[in-house]
Amino acid sequence: MEELLNITSESLSRFLTRWYGDPDRPISANPEAAKIPPPLRVWHEIASQWSTPVTTLNHPLDPSELEIEDGKLVFWVENQGCWTWSTNINGDAPIVFDRQPGSDPEPWAPTGETLSEFLLHATVFEAIVGAPCQMYVENITEEVLSQITSELRPLPLPHWRWPSADVRILVGTGLLAQVSDSMASDTIRRFDVTIAAPSSDALAPLSNLAGVPWKSYTPVEPQESNWDDLPDFLR
């Protein structure tokens, strides 16, 4: 998936086509989108060309629902409402900010990503949690992790603070991986790994690795919070 390793203005549409197939409907016009930052308008236009939802856990706000909070335009929300992302209303490449909302919220913190970068990052994350073919393994050693990820390369974007700063995305041939520190309490650092792909063929090489006790789970349904079905790093 070279489009995720060498990011350009075409990366989003190329990735969506690779993951979900060719677009199957025309761009949906939204009059409210004319008022929002160009990268966000473009994301809504591109994503509207697939009947398959491209968000499954967290979600963008509809252009008609956007609001300003403490000087920033809130445009993306975590599925339980406990994390939000915002950006500046002006500019062609505004920076994205995030925070945990509440009655006395912390100040907006910069993520280090432009709006276009964040939207690609978020789309990739959503593809992982909603992928039809997934397998995961928990509490593995760094040696086993190296075996699993030897042919994978990191997504060249900053790590998010949500769900935690240790979560990182890796890119392989026809598949994506998400790695995080395990919740195990021993003194040796251990890891949880989720592998996701649009078809089972892409998972076959990793599923056959000796000594890796892979498990599988049902992908997250679009716009629903199947919290009990998620691996530990998403709980």
Side-chain angles (χ1 to χ4, degrees), residues 94-139:
I95 295 297
V96 171
F97 300 80
D98 68 352
R99 72 178 179 185
Q100 188 172 10
S103 57
D104 186 21
E106 62 184 19
W108 290 113
T111 63
E113 292 182 312
T114 66
L115 182 53
S116 293
E117 290 172 336
F118 171 86
L119 291 168
L120 177 63
H121 191 164
T123 304
V124 170
F125 172 84
E126 295 296 320
I128 293 172
V129 297
C133 301
Q134 303 181 40
M135 59 186 188
Y136 74 100
V137 63
E138 298 175 309
N139 199 28

Side-chain angles (χ1 to χ4, degrees), residues 1-8 11 111-114 116-118 120-121 124 152-160 168-172 176-177:
M1 287 190 279
E2 189 64 24
E3 68 272 12
L4 299 183
L5 300 173
N6 294 290
I7 296 172
T8 70
S11 289
T111 63
E113 292 182 312
T114 66
S116 293
E117 290 172 336
F118 171 86
L120 177 63
H121 191 164
V124 170
L152 309 182
R153 295 168 61 186
L155 182 70
L157 292 171
H159 296 169
W160 288 349
R168 54 201 183 278
I169 293 174
L170 305 175
V171 180
L176 297 165

Side-chain angles (χ1 to χ4, degrees), residues 12 18 29 31 33 35 63 71 81 89 98 106 121 130 138 142 148 152 177 183 185 192 197 231:
L12 176 63
R18 183 190 300 275
K35 306 175 184 178
I89 190 65
D98 68 352
E106 62 184 19
H121 191 164
E138 298 175 309
E142 191 162 8
I148 293 171
L152 309 182
M183 298 296 289
S185 60
D192 299 338

Side-chain angles (χ1 to χ4, degrees), residues 124-234:
V124 170
F125 172 84
E126 295 296 320
I128 293 172
V129 297
C133 301
Q134 303 181 40
M135 59 186 188
Y136 74 100
V137 63
E138 298 175 309
N139 199 28
I140 60 172
T141 64
E142 191 162 8
E143 181 180 2
V144 175
L145 177 65
S146 296
Q147 183 183 11
I148 293 171
T149 61
S150 61
E151 300 297 322
L152 309 182
R153 295 168 61 186
L155 182 70
L157 292 171
H159 296 169
W160 288 349
R161 294 196 298 160
W162 180 95
S164 63
D166 62 281
V167 175
R168 54 201 183 278
I169 293 174
L170 305 175
V171 180
T173 302
L175 59 81
L176 297 165
Q178 191 151 264
V179 179
S180 64
D181 287 351
S182 176
M183 298 296 289
S185 60
D186 60 24
T187 57
I188 300 174
R189 190 180 183 191
R190 292 177 179 270
F191 304 89
D192 299 338
V193 181
T194 296
I195 307 292
S199 70
S200 59
D201 291 346
L203 300 181
L206 289 178
S207 65
N208 294 325
L209 287 177
V212 181
W214 292 109
K215 302 176 183 178
S216 61
Y217 61 92
T218 303
V220 178
E221 293 295 328
Q223 300 299 318
E224 294 181 4
S225 302
N226 295 338
W227 205 247
D228 292 338
D229 291 339
L230 299 178
D232 287 343
F233 73 86
L234 284 176

